[in-house]
Structures are given as C-alpha cells and as structure tokens.
Amino acid sequence: MTDMFPAESIYNLIPREEVKVTKQPRHTSKFRETVKEETQRHKAPNKTMGPVKVDVPSPEKFLQKHSKEPKLADTTEGGLLEKPLKKLCDDQKKPRVPLRTDHPVMGIQTKKNFIKTNAVETIMSVPKKPQPNYVDTRRGDKQLLDTSGLVPKFTNKKDYGQTPEYLIKRNEEVQRAQEEYDAYIKERIRQGSMKQLSDEERDAVLQGLKKNWGELHHQYQGISVVTDTTPKKYRKERLETEMKQLEKDIDMIERHKTIYIANR
C-alpha cells in the first residue's frame, strides 16, 4: 500500500524546478527532395479518382425517349449509303419476270441418245471396291481395317527380314573392339606382365571365397537380435559390409570364365 501511495512529507511542499526534456532533432533524409520530385514527375493526374471536376450536363440537353437506341444510317437521297446500297442491290438483282407477251424459244431438240450413253458409261465404269472394315463390338461398330494395325503391311517392305544397318555397324564395332582387346591381352601375356588363371586356381579361389562367406554368415547368425550398444552395432555393420563384398567377388568370378592377373 505504501508503494502506491507514499507517506506524506513536508518536503513535498517545496517547489521544484521542472526539468524540460530536450528532444533530439527529427531525422530528415537527404534524398527527400529528390524523392518528391520523382513522385511528382511520375504521378498521373486523375488516375484513380477520376477528373477533379465533372462537367454538369446542360438542362437543354435532357434525356429523350429512344435517344440511346442504335440508329440506322440514312438511306434517303443524298444519304451516306445511297450509292453503296444501290450498287449492292444491282449486283444481287434476280432476272426480271418474263412478260405476258414474251414467248419461249421453241423447237430446240437434241439427237443425243441418253439411254445408250448411260448404258455405255455404266459398262465402262470400274466397280467401286468396298472399304475393308472390322467389327470390334457385339453391337456391330465398324472401324477401318487399314489404319487398325491388324493388316501385316510391314511384310511388303523391301527390307523385310533383313538386319538393319545400324545393327550391322554396331556388331562390327563390338567385334573390332574385342579383337583389339584380345591382341592387347596376348601382348601383355607375351611380355610376362599378365597371366591367366587356370581352371584349378579359379575353382580354388571360388571355394575359398565361399568358405569365408560361410564363416562370416555363421558369425552373423550368432549376433544378438537387439543391438542396443555401440560395439554390437559396429560389429553387425562390419560383418554385413564384408559379406556384401564377398558376394560381389563370388558373382564376378562365376560370371567370367577367363580371368587375368597382373604380375607385380
């Protein structure tokens, strides 16, 4: 309670000098005038709020009936569309109605035998072949057979049954690379820098790798199921890494019958 309302004291009656807090001068950017000029220069008047003053319509020009309806151009004599419409009508005129006194031309006959002409044209004409179709639904929906892919058109090609040129070139490149590799191996063997593993040595190496893999696998099976400590985790990871490497080596030796070893 004493913190909110301090105790009365006679010293509080002594007048005190008011301390005036002097504020620091307000910061004014040195680019202020430049920004003002650029803003005024790029400012477009009446951009968002419309013109400052709108002209009030004159009382004499009040809204009349049908004044806003579209009006057709004047087609009377002296109007704008008098000549174009007249020319347009002249171009689209139908032939005049014959008069009552006009008589048609009579007595014109032809000696053409239409029956014979039609018979000759029918005999000489080539019969139209029906378009091949196929039905793909039980309701009888027909589709064109030529574009369906069911007709073996590829058998009619000139190069049907022949090896493509790009395959011939690729086979030649593969054969050339194999010959170069065989020549390189023979040269290295002649120099004594490489030797070929015999079948007995290859089988011995393969059996040794499989034996090592079996021993590691036996150790791996003996690991505890729960790897809750760091040594157990490291041992499991080490065994898995060694087993994967042995599996890769065994697969490589089984896939390649001929193996060369460099002499050091």
Side-chain angles (χ1 to χ4, degrees):
M1 196 69 180
T2 57
D3 295 338
M4 298 179 62
F5 302 100
E8 294 183 0
S9 177
I10 194 170
Y11 293 103
N12 295 336
L13 300 176
I14 300 174
R16 299 178 181 178
E17 294 182 1
E18 295 182 0
V19 180
K20 294 183 179 179
V21 181
T22 57
K23 296 183 179 179
Q24 296 181 357
R26 189 174 183 181
H27 172 72
T28 304
S29 176
K30 62 180 180 180
F31 302 104
R32 183 176 182 182
E33 299 298 331
T34 308
V35 173
K36 282 186 177 181
E37 292 178 2
E38 291 181 358
T39 305
Q40 292 295 334
R41 192 184 308 117
H42 298 293
K43 188 175 181 181
N46 310 331
K47 192 170 184 180
T48 57
M49 303 302 295
V52 181
K53 293 182 180 180
V54 180
D55 297 335
V56 181
S58 175
E60 299 176 356
K61 298 180 180 179
F62 57 90
L63 184 62
Q64 297 182 358
K65 187 177 182 181
H66 305 296
S67 61
K68 292 189 176 182
E69 294 180 358
K71 295 182 180 179
L72 298 175
D74 187 11
T75 57
T76 58
E77 187 176 356
L80 295 175
L81 297 179
E82 179 185 1
K83 293 181 179 179
L85 280 177
K86 186 176 181 182
K87 185 177 181 181
L88 185 63
C89 294
D90 291 342
D91 295 340
Q92 296 181 356
K93 275 185 178 180
K94 295 182 180 180
R96 65 180 183 85
V97 180
L99 300 177
R100 186 175 57 181
T101 57
D102 294 342
H103 298 284
V105 180
M106 305 294 290
I108 298 177
Q109 295 181 358
T110 179
K111 297 181 180 180
K112 183 178 179 180
N113 190 352
F114 289 95
I115 298 176
K116 187 176 181 180
T117 304
N118 294 339
V120 172
E121 290 179 356
T122 305
I123 294 170
M124 298 300 294
S125 62
V126 180
K128 187 177 180 181
K129 295 182 179 180
Q131 197 170 11
N133 298 325
Y134 74 99
V135 179
D136 57 351
T137 60
R138 62 180 181 179
R139 296 184 179 179
D141 297 334
K142 295 182 179 180
Q143 305 293 339
L144 294 177
L145 186 61
D146 294 337
T147 59
S148 64
L150 300 175
V151 181
K153 294 183 178 180
F154 57 88
T155 57
N156 299 328
K157 293 184 177 180
K158 296 180 180 179
D159 56 351
Y160 174 72
Q162 300 178 3
T163 306
E165 294 182 1
Y166 74 94
L167 286 180
I168 296 174
K169 293 181 180 179
R170 184 176 299 176
N171 294 334
E172 292 177 354
E173 292 176 358
V174 171
Q175 186 176 1
R176 192 182 308 113
Q178 186 65 32
E179 292 175 356
E180 293 177 357
Y181 176 75
D182 294 340
Y184 169 77
I185 294 298
K186 290 179 181 179
E187 182 65 22
R188 296 302 296 266
I189 292 174
R190 188 180 63 80
Q191 294 176 0
S193 59
M194 293 180 64
K195 70 173 183 178
Q196 181 180 354
L197 278 181
S198 61
D199 295 339
E200 293 79 8
E201 294 175 344
R202 177 177 172 277
D203 294 339
V205 173
L206 188 60
Q207 293 299 327
L209 292 175
K210 290 183 178 180
K211 183 179 179 181
N212 294 339
W213 184 88
E215 293 177 357
L216 292 175
H217 186 260
H218 180 71
Q219 296 179 14
Y220 187 80
Q221 293 293 330
I223 297 176
S224 61
V225 179
V226 180
T227 55
D228 51 351
T229 60
T230 304
K232 291 181 181 180
K233 187 183 298 183
Y234 287 163
R235 187 186 179 203
K236 181 181 179 181
E237 292 179 355
R238 179 179 60 82
L239 291 175
E240 289 177 350
T241 305
E242 293 179 0
M243 290 173 63
K244 287 182 180 178
Q245 184 62 38
L246 287 174
E247 289 174 359
K248 290 182 180 178
D249 296 339
I250 292 170
D251 180 65
M252 183 187 66
I253 294 177
E254 287 181 346
R255 283 189 294 107
H256 299 89
K257 300 297 182 181
T258 304
I259 299 175
Y260 297 96
I261 300 176
N263 294 326
R264 295 183 180 179

